[in-house]
Amino acid sequence: VIDTGSDVSAVSSRILRHFGIPVHRQGTAHTAAGPVGVDLYKVSLDITDFADPNAPELVEPNLIVMELPAALPSIDVLIGLD
């Protein structure tokens, strides 16, 4: 899901645990309910269209993402403005 209201991408804790990604540092997310402490992770993000092998790819090899503060049904990644 693309979230234009967020300046940082967020990943579900289930995905972070599945790939064994360690916490990079602590941070603060500013939500409508106020500031919330979050864990930040250093990941590599690759977006491609598998249906079209000639399509361009988006690759961010060193992206800092936050863990989603709450589980969202059927959503594993929110792509922010970063």
Side-chain angles (χ1 to χ4, degrees), residues 25-75:
R25 66 178 189 260
Q26 302 288 310
T28 302
H30 300 280
T31 70
V36 176
V38 293
D39 289 332
L40 299 173
Y41 298 82
K42 189 174 186 179
V43 301
S44 174
L45 176 70
D46 184 359
I47 299 174
T48 189
D49 180 359
F50 289 109
D52 181 359
N54 296 318
E57 287 187 48
L58 170 66
V59 178
E60 288 293 331
N62 294 301
L63 185 64
I64 302 297
V65 300
M66 71 175 195
E67 180 177 8
L68 281 169
L72 301 173
S74 303
I75 296 176

